[in-house]
Amino acid sequence: MCQRMSASTRRLLSIVLIGLCTAVPAVAAADDDPVFEGEVTVTATGEETEVDAVPVPVTVVSREEIDDSQAESVAALLRRVPGVTVMGTEGTGQVVSTFTRGTNSNHTLFLYDGVRLNSPLFGGFDATTLTTAGAARIEVARGPYSALWGAEALGGAVNVVPIRGATDATGTLFAEGGEDGFQRYEGDVRWGSDRFDVAASGLYREGEGALDNSDFQLTQGMIDGGYRWGQGSRIGILYQDVDSEAGIPFSSPGSLTPLRRSESDQQLLAIPVRWVISDLWRLEVTASRVERRFHFEDPDDPSGFTLNDSEADTDQIRIASHHTFGAHAATFGAEWREDDVTNVTSFGSNLDGQTTEISSLFAQDVWQVNDRLRAVAGLRWDDTDEWGSETSPRLHLGWTATADLELTAGWGHAFRQPSVGEMYYPFSGTPDLEPEVADSWEVGAVWRAPTTGSRVRVSYFDTGITDLIQYDFVTFTNQNIGEAEIQGAEFSWEQGL
Protein backbone atom coordinates (compact mmCIF):
# COMPACT_ATOMS: atom_id res chain seq x y z
CA MET A 1 0.00 0.00 0.00
CA CYS A 2 1.33 3.40 -0.98
CA GLN A 3 0.73 6.53 1.05
CA ARG A 4 1.51 10.00 -0.24
CA MET A 5 2.75 12.85 1.90
CA SER A 6 0.90 15.57 -0.01
CA ALA A 7 -0.85 16.64 -3.22
CA SER A 8 0.46 16.75 -6.78
CA THR A 9 2.91 19.59 -6.22
CA ARG A 10 4.62 20.19 -2.92
CA ARG A 11 7.64 21.85 -1.42
CA LEU A 12 9.01 20.37 1.77
CA LEU A 13 11.66 21.74 4.08
CA SER A 14 12.51 19.36 6.87
CA ILE A 15 15.16 19.32 9.55
CA VAL A 16 15.78 15.93 11.08
CA LEU A 17 17.67 15.73 14.35
CA ILE A 18 18.61 12.47 15.96
CA GLY A 19 21.07 11.42 18.62
CA LEU A 20 22.22 7.83 18.84
CA CYS A 21 24.16 6.43 21.76
CA THR A 22 26.03 3.33 20.74
CA ALA A 23 29.00 1.30 21.76
CA VAL A 24 29.16 -0.67 18.58
CA PRO A 25 29.81 -1.08 14.89
CA ALA A 26 30.88 1.38 12.41
CA VAL A 27 34.22 0.93 10.77
CA ALA A 28 36.25 4.09 10.75
CA ALA A 29 38.64 5.14 8.07
CA ALA A 30 41.33 5.64 10.66
CA ASP A 31 42.87 2.55 12.22
CA ASP A 32 43.10 4.27 15.61
CA ASP A 33 39.32 4.59 16.01
CA PRO A 34 38.22 1.45 17.89
CA VAL A 35 34.73 2.77 18.72
CA PHE A 36 33.34 2.47 15.18
CA GLU A 37 35.46 -0.50 14.18
CA GLY A 38 33.49 -3.31 12.54
CA GLU A 39 30.66 -1.38 10.86
CA VAL A 40 30.15 -2.42 7.24
CA THR A 41 27.48 -1.84 4.60
CA VAL A 42 26.38 -3.86 1.59
CA THR A 43 23.52 -1.59 0.56
CA ALA A 44 25.69 1.44 -0.30
CA THR A 45 28.01 -0.32 -2.76
CA GLY A 46 26.63 -3.83 -3.37
CA GLU A 47 29.56 -5.50 -1.57
CA GLU A 48 30.67 -5.36 2.06
CA THR A 49 32.47 -2.06 2.51
CA GLU A 50 33.49 -0.09 5.57
CA VAL A 51 30.85 2.56 6.25
CA ASP A 52 33.44 5.31 6.61
CA ALA A 53 35.09 4.26 3.36
CA VAL A 54 32.21 5.52 1.17
CA PRO A 55 31.10 9.18 0.99
CA VAL A 56 27.35 8.47 1.23
CA PRO A 57 24.89 8.81 4.14
CA VAL A 58 24.33 5.32 5.57
CA THR A 59 23.04 4.30 9.00
CA VAL A 60 23.76 0.80 10.28
CA VAL A 61 21.86 -0.57 13.28
CA SER A 62 23.86 -3.43 14.77
CA ARG A 63 22.54 -6.52 16.55
CA GLU A 64 23.78 -5.11 19.83
CA GLU A 65 21.79 -1.92 19.29
CA ILE A 66 18.73 -4.00 18.38
CA ASP A 67 19.04 -6.00 21.61
CA ASP A 68 19.60 -2.89 23.71
CA SER A 69 16.49 -1.24 22.24
CA GLN A 70 14.34 -4.38 22.70
CA ALA A 71 12.54 -3.35 19.52
CA GLU A 72 10.72 -6.21 17.81
CA SER A 73 10.05 -4.46 14.50
CA VAL A 74 12.32 -2.86 11.94
CA ALA A 75 9.85 0.04 11.76
CA ALA A 76 10.50 0.92 15.40
CA LEU A 77 14.22 1.24 14.71
CA LEU A 78 13.68 3.23 11.51
CA ARG A 79 12.04 5.95 13.62
CA ARG A 80 15.53 6.65 15.02
CA VAL A 81 17.21 7.08 11.64
CA PRO A 82 17.73 10.63 10.33
CA GLY A 83 15.66 11.44 7.26
CA VAL A 84 13.18 8.59 7.83
CA THR A 85 9.54 9.05 8.89
CA VAL A 86 7.40 6.08 9.93
CA MET A 87 3.59 6.37 10.04
CA GLY A 88 1.44 3.79 11.80
CA THR A 89 1.77 1.85 15.02
CA GLU A 90 3.94 -1.21 14.72
CA GLY A 91 3.05 -4.32 16.68
CA THR A 92 -0.72 -3.83 16.47
CA GLY A 93 -1.49 -5.25 13.04
CA GLN A 94 -1.86 -1.80 11.48
CA VAL A 95 -0.20 -0.96 8.17
CA VAL A 96 3.08 0.90 8.73
CA SER A 97 4.43 3.13 5.95
CA THR A 98 7.97 4.43 5.59
CA PHE A 99 8.89 7.79 4.04
CA THR A 100 12.55 8.52 3.31
CA ARG A 101 13.67 12.11 2.79
CA GLY A 102 10.10 13.28 2.26
CA THR A 103 9.35 10.98 -0.67
CA ASN A 104 6.26 8.76 -0.94
CA SER A 105 6.01 5.45 0.91
CA ASN A 106 6.54 3.52 -2.34
CA HIS A 107 9.81 5.38 -2.96
CA THR A 108 11.77 3.38 -0.37
CA LEU A 109 13.10 0.00 -1.49
CA PHE A 110 13.03 -2.75 1.15
CA LEU A 111 15.44 -5.66 0.86
CA TYR A 112 16.06 -8.81 2.87
CA ASP A 113 19.66 -9.86 2.37
CA GLY A 114 19.56 -8.05 -0.97
CA VAL A 115 16.27 -9.64 -2.11
CA ARG A 116 13.54 -7.19 -3.12
CA LEU A 117 10.44 -7.15 -0.87
CA ASN A 118 8.28 -4.36 -2.34
CA SER A 119 4.95 -5.57 -3.69
CA PRO A 120 4.44 -5.30 -7.47
CA LEU A 121 0.65 -4.89 -7.06
CA PHE A 122 0.60 -1.22 -6.00
CA GLY A 123 4.18 -0.73 -4.78
CA GLY A 124 5.42 0.01 -1.30
CA PHE A 125 6.00 -2.33 1.62
CA ASP A 126 4.22 -2.77 4.95
CA ALA A 127 7.13 -2.47 7.38
CA THR A 128 5.11 -3.85 10.30
CA THR A 129 5.62 -7.39 8.95
CA LEU A 130 9.42 -7.06 9.04
CA THR A 131 10.66 -7.93 12.52
CA THR A 132 14.12 -7.81 14.05
CA ALA A 133 14.11 -11.56 14.76
CA GLY A 134 17.17 -13.14 13.15
CA ALA A 135 18.57 -9.79 11.96
CA ALA A 136 22.33 -9.31 12.22
CA ARG A 137 22.04 -5.64 11.27
CA ILE A 138 19.76 -3.18 9.51
CA GLU A 139 21.22 -0.86 6.87
CA VAL A 140 19.52 2.35 5.80
CA ALA A 141 21.03 4.05 2.75
CA ARG A 142 19.50 7.48 2.07
CA GLY A 143 19.34 9.14 -1.32
CA PRO A 144 18.82 7.86 -4.88
CA TYR A 145 19.94 4.23 -5.28
CA SER A 146 18.41 3.16 -8.58
CA ALA A 147 21.92 3.11 -10.09
CA LEU A 148 22.64 0.06 -7.94
CA TRP A 149 19.30 -1.49 -6.94
CA GLY A 150 16.88 -0.37 -9.65
CA ALA A 151 13.26 0.75 -9.28
CA GLU A 152 11.66 2.15 -6.10
CA ALA A 153 14.91 3.46 -4.55
CA LEU A 154 14.14 7.18 -5.03
CA GLY A 155 14.35 8.12 -1.37
CA GLY A 156 16.61 5.32 -0.23
CA ALA A 157 16.93 1.62 0.52
CA VAL A 158 16.48 -0.44 3.70
CA ASN A 159 18.30 -3.77 3.83
CA VAL A 160 17.89 -6.32 6.64
CA VAL A 161 20.93 -8.60 6.76
CA PRO A 162 20.19 -11.91 8.54
CA ILE A 163 22.39 -13.70 11.07
CA ARG A 164 24.79 -16.43 9.94
CA GLY A 165 26.04 -19.56 11.64
CA ALA A 166 28.83 -19.13 14.20
CA THR A 167 31.88 -21.29 14.84
CA ASP A 168 30.49 -22.28 18.22
CA ALA A 169 26.90 -23.27 18.86
CA THR A 170 25.02 -20.29 20.29
CA GLY A 171 21.41 -19.40 20.94
CA THR A 172 19.12 -16.80 22.50
CA LEU A 173 15.60 -16.86 23.89
CA PHE A 174 13.34 -13.95 24.75
CA ALA A 175 9.79 -13.76 26.10
CA GLU A 176 7.57 -10.95 27.33
CA GLY A 177 3.93 -10.24 28.05
CA GLY A 178 1.69 -7.33 28.82
CA GLU A 179 -1.83 -5.98 29.01
CA ASP A 180 -4.58 -6.79 26.52
CA GLY A 181 -3.23 -10.31 26.12
CA PHE A 182 0.07 -9.19 24.55
CA GLN A 183 2.64 -11.98 24.22
CA ARG A 184 5.94 -12.14 22.38
CA TYR A 185 8.35 -15.06 22.06
CA GLU A 186 11.58 -14.84 20.09
CA GLY A 187 14.68 -16.99 19.74
CA ASP A 188 17.54 -18.01 17.47
CA VAL A 189 20.21 -20.70 17.22
CA ARG A 190 23.51 -20.67 15.31
CA TRP A 191 26.11 -23.29 14.55
CA GLY A 192 29.06 -23.58 12.20
CA SER A 193 32.21 -25.50 11.31
CA ASP A 194 35.06 -25.03 8.87
CA ARG A 195 32.77 -25.87 5.95
CA PHE A 196 29.15 -25.61 7.06
CA ASP A 197 27.06 -22.99 8.82
CA VAL A 198 23.41 -22.80 9.78
CA ALA A 199 21.27 -20.24 11.59
CA ALA A 200 17.57 -20.23 12.42
CA SER A 201 15.29 -17.76 14.16
CA GLY A 202 11.64 -17.52 15.05
CA LEU A 203 9.14 -15.05 16.49
CA TYR A 204 5.55 -15.31 17.64
CA ARG A 205 3.55 -12.25 18.67
CA GLU A 206 -0.11 -11.83 19.54
CA GLY A 207 -2.44 -9.48 21.37
CA GLU A 208 -6.14 -8.93 21.92
CA GLY A 209 -6.00 -5.16 21.41
CA ALA A 210 -7.80 -2.49 23.39
CA LEU A 211 -10.89 -2.42 21.14
CA ASP A 212 -13.26 -5.09 19.90
CA ASN A 213 -11.85 -6.79 16.78
CA SER A 214 -8.41 -5.21 17.26
CA ASP A 215 -6.57 -8.45 17.95
CA PHE A 216 -3.40 -9.27 16.01
CA GLN A 217 -1.03 -12.16 15.50
CA LEU A 218 2.29 -12.53 13.69
CA THR A 219 4.57 -15.53 13.16
CA GLN A 220 7.99 -15.30 11.53
CA GLY A 221 10.53 -18.02 10.85
CA MET A 222 13.91 -17.89 9.12
CA ILE A 223 16.59 -20.44 8.32
CA ASP A 224 19.90 -19.80 6.58
CA GLY A 225 22.45 -22.48 5.79
CA GLY A 226 25.57 -22.65 3.69
CA TYR A 227 28.65 -24.51 2.57
CA ARG A 228 31.98 -22.65 2.49
CA TRP A 229 35.15 -23.34 0.57
CA GLY A 230 38.38 -21.61 -0.34
CA GLN A 231 39.03 -18.09 0.93
CA GLY A 232 35.52 -16.75 1.46
CA SER A 233 33.49 -18.68 -1.13
CA ARG A 234 30.03 -19.83 -0.08
CA ILE A 235 26.81 -21.27 -1.48
CA GLY A 236 23.75 -20.91 0.73
CA ILE A 237 20.03 -21.25 0.98
CA LEU A 238 17.83 -18.71 2.76
CA TYR A 239 14.17 -19.19 3.61
CA GLN A 240 11.85 -16.82 5.46
CA ASP A 241 8.11 -17.10 6.18
CA VAL A 242 6.03 -14.29 7.70
CA ASP A 243 2.32 -14.80 8.51
CA SER A 244 0.13 -12.12 10.04
CA GLU A 245 -3.53 -11.71 10.90
CA ALA A 246 -5.32 -8.71 12.36
CA GLY A 247 -8.75 -7.36 13.08
CA ILE A 248 -9.72 -3.92 11.80
CA PRO A 249 -12.01 -2.37 14.45
CA PHE A 250 -13.27 0.63 12.46
CA SER A 251 -13.17 2.12 8.96
CA SER A 252 -13.45 5.71 10.18
CA PRO A 253 -14.04 7.37 13.57
CA GLY A 254 -17.45 6.23 14.79
CA SER A 255 -17.89 3.61 12.07
CA LEU A 256 -17.21 0.23 13.72
CA THR A 257 -16.36 -2.87 11.67
CA PRO A 258 -16.62 -5.86 14.07
CA LEU A 259 -16.11 -8.48 11.33
CA ARG A 260 -13.44 -6.78 9.20
CA ARG A 261 -10.24 -8.88 9.05
CA SER A 262 -6.98 -8.98 7.10
CA GLU A 263 -4.41 -11.75 6.65
CA SER A 264 -1.06 -11.77 4.87
CA ASP A 265 1.62 -14.33 4.15
CA GLN A 266 5.06 -13.76 2.63
CA GLN A 267 7.52 -16.49 1.77
CA LEU A 268 11.06 -15.81 0.56
CA LEU A 269 13.48 -18.34 -0.88
CA ALA A 270 16.96 -17.35 -2.06
CA ILE A 271 20.05 -19.22 -3.18
CA PRO A 272 23.07 -16.90 -2.89
CA VAL A 273 26.46 -17.92 -4.29
CA ARG A 274 29.71 -16.06 -3.65
CA TRP A 275 32.78 -17.36 -5.47
CA VAL A 276 36.13 -15.80 -4.61
CA ILE A 277 38.04 -16.53 -7.79
CA SER A 278 41.13 -14.61 -6.71
CA ASP A 279 42.18 -11.74 -4.46
CA LEU A 280 41.14 -9.39 -7.26
CA TRP A 281 37.94 -11.05 -8.53
CA ARG A 282 34.76 -12.07 -6.71
CA LEU A 283 31.57 -13.32 -8.38
CA GLU A 284 28.13 -13.22 -6.74
CA VAL A 285 24.94 -14.83 -8.09
CA THR A 286 21.58 -14.81 -6.27
CA ALA A 287 18.41 -16.51 -7.48
CA SER A 288 15.32 -15.70 -5.46
CA ARG A 289 11.54 -16.02 -5.32
CA VAL A 290 9.14 -14.06 -3.12
CA GLU A 291 5.49 -15.09 -2.81
CA ARG A 292 2.98 -12.71 -1.22
CA ARG A 293 -0.62 -13.49 -0.28
CA PHE A 294 -3.15 -11.01 1.08
CA HIS A 295 -6.75 -11.62 2.18
CA PHE A 296 -9.32 -9.05 3.30
CA GLU A 297 -12.92 -9.66 4.26
CA ASP A 298 -15.83 -7.77 5.78
CA PRO A 299 -19.23 -9.39 5.22
CA ASP A 300 -20.95 -6.27 6.62
CA ASP A 301 -19.32 -3.73 4.31
CA PRO A 302 -22.15 -1.38 3.21
CA SER A 303 -20.66 -0.83 -0.27
CA GLY A 304 -20.48 -4.54 -1.02
CA PHE A 305 -16.68 -4.66 -0.91
CA THR A 306 -16.69 -7.79 1.23
CA LEU A 307 -13.65 -9.61 -0.18
CA ASN A 308 -10.19 -8.77 -1.56
CA ASP A 309 -7.67 -11.53 -2.33
CA SER A 310 -4.32 -10.93 -4.04
CA GLU A 311 -1.27 -12.96 -4.98
CA ALA A 312 1.93 -11.14 -5.99
CA ASP A 313 5.03 -13.20 -6.83
CA THR A 314 8.51 -12.06 -7.84
CA ASP A 315 11.26 -14.15 -9.42
CA GLN A 316 14.69 -12.57 -9.71
CA ILE A 317 18.27 -13.41 -10.69
CA ARG A 318 21.08 -10.99 -9.87
CA ILE A 319 24.70 -11.38 -11.02
CA ALA A 320 27.49 -9.11 -9.80
CA SER A 321 31.17 -9.40 -10.70
CA HIS A 322 33.46 -7.48 -8.34
CA HIS A 323 36.98 -6.53 -9.42
CA THR A 324 39.80 -4.81 -7.55
CA PHE A 325 42.60 -3.16 -9.48
CA GLY A 326 44.80 -0.42 -8.17
CA ALA A 327 42.70 2.23 -6.43
CA HIS A 328 39.46 0.94 -8.01
CA ALA A 329 36.83 -1.47 -6.71
CA ALA A 330 34.61 -2.00 -9.74
CA THR A 331 31.38 -3.96 -10.09
CA PHE A 332 29.68 -5.10 -13.27
CA GLY A 333 26.33 -6.85 -13.12
CA ALA A 334 23.01 -7.85 -14.61
CA GLU A 335 19.50 -8.57 -13.29
CA TRP A 336 16.35 -10.23 -14.52
CA ARG A 337 13.04 -9.96 -12.69
CA GLU A 338 9.48 -11.09 -13.38
CA ASP A 339 6.40 -10.07 -11.38
CA ASP A 340 3.15 -12.07 -11.50
CA VAL A 341 -0.01 -10.60 -9.94
CA THR A 342 -3.54 -11.92 -9.42
CA ASN A 343 -6.31 -9.99 -7.68
CA VAL A 344 -9.93 -10.96 -7.03
CA THR A 345 -12.53 -8.93 -5.12
CA SER A 346 -16.22 -9.39 -4.34
CA PHE A 347 -16.91 -7.57 -7.63
CA GLY A 348 -14.96 -10.07 -9.73
CA SER A 349 -11.50 -10.79 -11.11
CA ASN A 350 -9.35 -7.70 -11.63
CA LEU A 351 -5.96 -9.20 -12.49
CA ASP A 352 -5.46 -12.79 -13.60
CA GLY A 353 -1.78 -13.71 -13.65
CA GLN A 354 -0.73 -10.33 -15.07
CA THR A 355 3.03 -10.31 -15.54
CA THR A 356 5.74 -7.75 -16.13
CA GLU A 357 9.37 -8.51 -16.91
CA ILE A 358 12.41 -6.28 -16.52
CA SER A 359 16.06 -6.76 -17.55
CA SER A 360 18.91 -4.67 -16.20
CA LEU A 361 22.62 -3.98 -16.60
CA PHE A 362 24.68 -1.99 -14.10
CA ALA A 363 28.23 -0.90 -13.35
CA GLN A 364 29.86 0.86 -10.42
CA ASP A 365 33.30 2.04 -9.36
CA VAL A 366 34.49 2.91 -5.86
CA TRP A 367 37.66 4.90 -6.58
CA GLN A 368 40.26 6.21 -4.13
CA VAL A 369 41.45 9.03 -6.39
CA ASN A 370 44.24 10.12 -4.04
CA ASP A 371 44.95 10.36 -0.33
CA ARG A 372 42.26 13.00 0.13
CA LEU A 373 39.65 12.38 -2.57
CA ARG A 374 37.41 9.34 -3.14
CA ALA A 375 34.48 8.77 -5.45
CA VAL A 376 31.56 6.40 -6.03
CA ALA A 377 30.20 6.38 -9.58
CA GLY A 378 27.46 4.12 -10.92
CA LEU A 379 25.26 3.61 -13.96
CA ARG A 380 22.29 1.29 -14.51
CA TRP A 381 20.01 0.55 -17.45
CA ASP A 382 16.57 -1.05 -16.91
CA ASP A 383 14.41 -2.19 -19.82
CA THR A 384 10.89 -3.60 -20.11
CA ASP A 385 8.20 -3.94 -22.77
CA GLU A 386 5.61 -2.04 -20.72
CA TRP A 387 7.23 1.36 -20.12
CA GLY A 388 10.42 1.25 -22.17
CA SER A 389 13.82 1.82 -20.56
CA GLU A 390 15.34 4.00 -17.87
CA THR A 391 19.00 4.96 -17.31
CA SER A 392 20.07 5.80 -13.75
CA PRO A 393 23.48 7.39 -13.07
CA ARG A 394 24.95 8.53 -9.75
CA LEU A 395 28.14 10.20 -8.51
CA HIS A 396 29.31 10.82 -4.94
CA LEU A 397 32.53 12.51 -3.85
CA GLY A 398 34.30 12.73 -0.52
CA TRP A 399 37.19 15.09 0.18
CA THR A 400 39.23 14.81 3.37
CA ALA A 401 39.67 18.41 4.51
CA THR A 402 41.44 17.51 7.76
CA ALA A 403 42.31 14.32 9.60
CA ASP A 404 38.86 14.34 11.25
CA LEU A 405 36.67 16.18 8.71
CA GLU A 406 35.37 14.97 5.34
CA LEU A 407 33.27 17.08 2.96
CA THR A 408 30.85 15.21 0.70
CA ALA A 409 28.74 15.93 -2.37
CA GLY A 410 26.55 13.72 -4.52
CA TRP A 411 24.01 13.58 -7.34
CA GLY A 412 21.83 10.79 -8.62
CA HIS A 413 18.91 9.92 -10.86
CA ALA A 414 16.32 7.38 -9.68
CA PHE A 415 12.94 6.03 -10.75
CA ARG A 416 9.90 4.05 -9.70
CA GLN A 417 8.34 1.82 -12.30
CA PRO A 418 4.53 1.82 -12.66
CA SER A 419 3.05 -0.98 -10.57
CA VAL A 420 1.01 -3.77 -12.11
CA GLY A 421 -2.12 -2.42 -10.43
CA GLU A 422 -1.54 1.14 -11.66
CA MET A 423 -1.21 -0.11 -15.22
CA TYR A 424 -3.80 -2.88 -15.47
CA TYR A 425 -6.38 -2.55 -12.68
CA PRO A 426 -9.89 -2.27 -14.22
CA PHE A 427 -11.24 1.22 -14.89
CA SER A 428 -8.37 3.14 -13.21
CA GLY A 429 -5.42 1.39 -14.85
CA THR A 430 -3.40 2.98 -17.67
CA PRO A 431 -1.10 0.57 -19.57
CA ASP A 432 1.08 3.31 -21.12
CA LEU A 433 2.16 4.95 -17.85
CA GLU A 434 5.72 6.25 -17.62
CA PRO A 435 8.06 5.72 -14.63
CA GLU A 436 8.20 8.31 -11.88
CA VAL A 437 11.66 9.92 -12.05
CA ALA A 438 13.73 11.92 -9.60
CA ASP A 439 16.95 13.91 -9.66
CA SER A 440 18.59 14.53 -6.32
CA TRP A 441 21.75 16.29 -5.16
CA GLU A 442 23.23 16.75 -1.73
CA VAL A 443 26.17 18.24 0.13
CA GLY A 444 27.38 17.36 3.58
CA ALA A 445 30.15 16.89 6.08
CA VAL A 446 31.28 14.09 8.38
CA TRP A 447 33.34 14.80 11.49
CA ARG A 448 35.01 11.92 13.26
CA ALA A 449 36.72 12.25 16.63
CA PRO A 450 38.56 9.01 17.43
CA THR A 451 39.73 10.24 20.82
CA THR A 452 36.18 10.89 22.07
CA GLY A 453 34.40 8.17 20.06
CA SER A 454 32.11 10.64 18.29
CA ARG A 455 30.86 10.82 14.72
CA VAL A 456 28.76 13.74 13.49
CA ARG A 457 27.13 13.88 10.06
CA VAL A 458 25.22 16.78 8.53
CA SER A 459 23.63 16.79 5.06
CA TYR A 460 21.50 19.07 2.92
CA PHE A 461 19.58 17.57 -0.01
CA ASP A 462 17.32 18.73 -2.82
CA THR A 463 15.12 16.29 -4.74
CA GLY A 464 12.87 17.02 -7.71
CA ILE A 465 10.35 14.35 -8.77
CA THR A 466 8.34 14.43 -12.00
CA ASP A 467 5.76 12.18 -13.65
CA LEU A 468 4.26 11.15 -10.30
CA ILE A 469 1.45 8.67 -10.89
CA GLN A 470 -1.82 9.97 -9.46
CA TYR A 471 -5.51 9.40 -10.01
CA ASP A 472 -6.85 11.92 -12.52
CA PHE A 473 -10.41 12.99 -11.66
CA VAL A 474 -10.87 14.27 -15.21
CA THR A 475 -10.16 10.99 -17.02
CA PHE A 476 -10.86 8.79 -13.96
CA THR A 477 -7.63 6.90 -14.59
CA ASN A 478 -4.07 6.88 -13.28
CA GLN A 479 -1.89 9.44 -15.05
CA ASN A 480 1.65 10.91 -14.80
CA ILE A 481 0.43 14.31 -13.64
CA GLY A 482 2.18 14.95 -10.32
CA GLU A 483 5.47 16.53 -9.39
CA ALA A 484 7.26 17.40 -6.16
CA GLU A 485 10.17 19.50 -4.95
CA ILE A 486 11.69 18.33 -1.66
CA GLN A 487 14.40 20.07 0.33
CA GLY A 488 15.71 18.92 3.67
CA ALA A 489 18.58 18.71 6.10
CA GLU A 490 19.77 15.87 8.31
CA PHE A 491 21.90 15.91 11.43
CA SER A 492 23.09 12.87 13.34
CA TRP A 493 25.48 12.39 16.24
CA GLU A 494 26.80 9.01 17.26
CA GLN A 495 28.62 8.70 20.53
CA GLY A 496 30.41 5.55 21.59
CA LEU A 497 30.21 4.58 25.23
Side-chain angles (χ1 to χ4, degrees):
M1 177 181 296
C2 167
Q3 295 187 7
R4 299 188 183 277
M5 292 290 281
S6 60
S8 61
T9 303
R10 65 174 181 251
R11 190 171 185 86
L12 172 68
L13 178 62
S14 62
I15 303 294
V16 182
L17 174 63
I18 184 168
L20 295 178
C21 293
T22 85
V24 295
V27 151
D31 294 335
D32 59 350
D33 186 359
V35 173
F36 297 114
E37 187 173 359
E39 189 175 64
V40 296
T41 175
V42 176
T43 315
T45 61
E47 189 179 30
E48 279 201 356
T49 309
E50 296 179 353
V51 169
D52 282 341
V54 288
V56 295
V58 179
T59 298
V60 177
V61 184
S62 70
R63 183 68 241 182
E64 186 174 349
E65 290 177 276
I66 295 172
D67 292 338
D68 289 344
S69 71
Q70 297 187 13
E72 65 171 277
S73 73
V74 172
L77 293 169
L78 291 179
R79 295 182 187 274
R80 308 179 179 194
V81 177
V84 178
T85 301
V86 177
M87 297 183 65
T89 304
E90 60 274 3
T92 63
Q94 298 182 17
V95 173
V96 173
S97 300
T98 305
F99 305 86
T100 306
R101 287 191 166 182
T103 59
N104 290 333
S105 63
N106 55 5
H107 291 164
T108 299
L109 177 63
F110 278 83
L111 306 163
Y112 192 83
D113 203 23
V115 177
R116 172 184 294 264
L117 297 180
N118 292 46
S119 171
L121 177 54
F122 281 107
F125 179 75
D126 180 9
T128 192
T129 62
L130 196 58
T131 75
T132 59
R137 66 181 186 272
I138 302 166
E139 302 179 9
V140 185
R142 301 180 297 282
Y145 271 87
S146 289
L148 185 60
W149 296 108
E152 276 74 68
L154 277 80
V158 178
N159 187 18
V160 179
V161 181
I163 58 175
R164 288 274 167 83
T167 303
D168 299 322
T170 62
T172 63
L173 184 62
F174 177 88
E176 66 174 342
E179 60 183 7
D180 296 324
F182 176 76
Q183 301 177 59
R184 172 190 169 196
Y185 307 95
E186 180 181 337
D188 64 69
V189 292
R190 287 181 280 177
W191 173 86
S193 66
D194 293 339
R195 293 297 181 206
F196 297 94
D197 63 82
V198 62
S201 70
L203 177 140
Y204 176 79
R205 177 186 70 202
E206 69 170 18
E208 298 174 358
L211 304 174
D212 291 339
N213 193 39
S214 64
D215 60 291
F216 55 89
Q217 177 180 305
L218 184 143
T219 305
Q220 175 178 308
M222 185 279 293
I223 184 168
D224 178 88
Y227 171 76
R228 300 190 298 266
W229 76 95
Q231 300 298 317
S233 298
R234 181 181 186 270
I235 180 171
I237 182 167
L238 172 65
Y239 177 77
Q240 185 200 44
D241 191 336
V242 183
D243 296 296
S244 67
E245 179 180 354
I248 305 173
F250 54 85
S251 58
S252 61
S255 180
L256 301 181
T257 53
L259 298 179
R260 181 169 292 190
R261 309 285 299 177
S262 69
E263 300 177 16
S264 67
D265 178 24
Q266 177 181 282
Q267 296 177 324
L268 179 152
L269 177 65
I271 301 176
V273 179
R274 176 179 172 85
W275 180 21
V276 180
I277 301 173
S278 70
D279 293 340
L280 306 179
W281 184 12
R282 302 158 306 283
L283 183 65
E284 292 184 324
V285 180
T286 300
S288 63
R289 177 176 176 84
V290 179
E291 296 182 351
R292 311 169 187 86
R293 303 291 181 266
F294 177 78
H295 171 76
F296 166 90
E297 63 178 34
D298 185 357
D300 293 339
D301 187 86
S303 66
F305 191 75
T306 60
L307 176 71
N308 184 7
D309 284 328
S310 65
E311 300 178 2
D313 302 332
T314 300
D315 294 303
Q316 180 171 307
I317 298 175
R318 179 181 174 94
I319 302 172
S321 183
H322 307 285
H323 304 264
T324 303
F325 51 93
H328 297 268
T331 298
F332 305 94
E335 272 188 23
W336 171 86
R337 173 165 53 92
E338 182 181 66
D339 296 320
D340 187 314
V341 178
T342 295
N343 177 260
V344 178
T345 70
S346 51
F347 301 116
S349 176
N350 298 310
L351 300 168
D352 185 10
Q354 184 68 52
T355 62
T356 61
E357 186 176 317
I358 184 169
S359 301
S360 312
L361 297 173
F362 59 91
Q364 179 184 259
D365 185 22
V366 181
W367 180 23
Q368 187 67 47
V369 182
N370 53 45
D371 291 341
R372 305 184 69 178
L373 180 64
R374 50 188 171 181
V376 178
L379 182 67
R380 178 174 172 128
W381 176 74
D382 294 271
D383 182 71
T384 182
D385 291 336
E386 285 76 20
W387 42 264
S389 62
E390 190 70 30
T391 302
S392 306
R394 73 161 174 158
L395 175 64
H396 290 268
L397 301 173
W399 180 64
T400 303
T402 69
D404 299 330
L405 178 65
E406 181 180 28
L407 304 180
T408 62
W411 172 85
H413 179 87
F415 76 100
R416 182 184 79 86
Q417 69 183 78
S419 68
V420 174
E422 289 168 329
M423 290 190 293
Y424 299 114
Y425 211 76
F427 305 112
S428 62
T430 305
D432 59 352
L433 286 173
E434 297 292 329
E436 300 178 345
V437 295
D439 288 283
S440 181
W441 62 267
E442 65 181 271
V443 292
V446 183
W447 177 71
R448 308 175 183 91
T451 56
T452 61
S454 298
R455 179 168 59 188
V456 177
R457 182 187 295 272
V458 60
S459 302
Y460 174 84
F461 60 87
D462 186 300
T463 302
I465 308 176
T466 58
D467 291 331
L468 282 167
I469 300 171
Q470 297 179 343
Y471 186 76
D472 185 359
F473 288 94
V474 176
T475 64
F476 300 105
T477 59
N478 297 318
Q479 299 292 331
N480 295 102
I481 57 176
E483 60 182 31
E485 182 71 23
I486 306 169
Q487 297 172 327
E490 298 169 349
F491 173 84
S492 65
W493 170 34
E494 297 172 276
Q495 177 66 54
L497 298 179

